[in-house]
């Protein structure tokens, strides 16, 4: 159950009988809960970020095409990649197709269906990102 305010959460704490409002005032309980939240985030790695890549506005860090994109340094471990809301599967590095000049094959003009990381912070899609498509990279911050 998600509580949308500290008041509702502290009401729940008092209702469970863990603390009495006369013994421990509400601001004290809120501070304890906030401290617990910070510890949970710090130890659990729960902070998640999203990096968006628009097919129409190729980022300056695009390499050759929108099929291989250099991610910024602040992007941590990638949790998932979506294109236009569709979850992409991760493919193995041996499934990457190289042309005779050791460049990645551009693939068809359809939407990507898989991704992988090649090199350092280099997101590789199995097909070219369309002009109207949007790629969302979910990562641990």
């Amino acid at each position: 159950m998600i509580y949308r305010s500290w008041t509702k959460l502290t009401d729940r704490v008092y209702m469970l009988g863990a603390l009495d409002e006369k013994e421990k005032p509400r601001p004290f309980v809120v501070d304890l809960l906030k401290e617990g939240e910070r510890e949970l985030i710090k130890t659990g790695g729960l902070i998640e970020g999203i990096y968006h890549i628009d097919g129409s506005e190729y980022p300056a860090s695009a390499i050759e095409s929108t099929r291989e994109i250099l991610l910024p340094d602040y992007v941590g471990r990638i949790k998932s990649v979506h294109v236009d809301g569709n979850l992409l599967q991760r493919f193995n590095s041996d499934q990457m197709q190289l042309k005779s000049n050791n460049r990645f094959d551009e693939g068809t003009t359809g939407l990507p269906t898989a991704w992988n990381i090649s090199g350092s912070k280099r997101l590789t899609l199995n097909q070219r990102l369309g002009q109207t498509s949007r790629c969302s990279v979910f990562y641990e911050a």
Side-chain angles (χ1 to χ4, degrees), residues 4-138:
R4 304 208 185 273
S5 71
W6 289 108
T7 304
K8 289 183 180 181
L9 186 57
T10 53
D11 287 345
R12 179 79 172 171
V13 169
Y14 290 134
M15 185 183 79
L16 291 173
L19 298 173
D20 185 358
E21 193 167 359
K22 291 179 181 176
E23 293 174 1
K24 303 291 181 189
R26 194 171 293 269
F28 175 77
V29 174
V30 170
D31 287 342
L32 281 178
L33 292 170
K34 286 181 180 179
E35 183 180 337
E37 180 186 40
R38 282 191 297 273
E39 278 298 310
L40 179 66
I41 288 172
K42 188 168 55 174
T43 59
L46 297 175
I47 300 174
E48 185 177 276
I50 304 172
Y51 180 68
H52 295 289
I53 304 157
D54 289 322
S56 61
E57 302 172 9
Y58 301 153
S61 57
I63 301 167
E64 287 186 35
S65 68
T66 55
R67 189 181 175 292
E68 190 175 283
I69 298 161
L70 188 62
L71 297 173
D73 288 336
Y74 61 83
V75 173
R77 187 177 70 85
I78 295 176
K79 296 174 81 175
S80 65
V81 177
H82 299 254
V83 172
D84 295 339
N86 298 319
L87 176 65
L88 304 184
Q89 298 300 315
R90 188 168 185 168
F91 62 90
N92 296 328
S93 57
D94 60 343
Q95 294 173 312
M96 294 181 188
Q97 296 180 4
L98 295 176
K99 295 189 283 187
S100 60
N101 61 357
N102 283 340
R103 301 242 185 230
F104 288 106
D105 187 12
E106 291 301 319
T108 63
T109 57
L111 290 177
T113 57
W115 68 277
N116 202 345
I117 293 292
S118 62
S120 177
K121 301 286 185 181
R122 196 170 284 185
L123 177 70
T124 303
L125 303 173
N126 68 337
Q127 294 184 32
R128 178 177 247 167
L129 189 62
Q131 287 280 10
T132 59
S133 297
R134 184 173 190 165
C135 181
S136 302
V137 179
F138 293 83

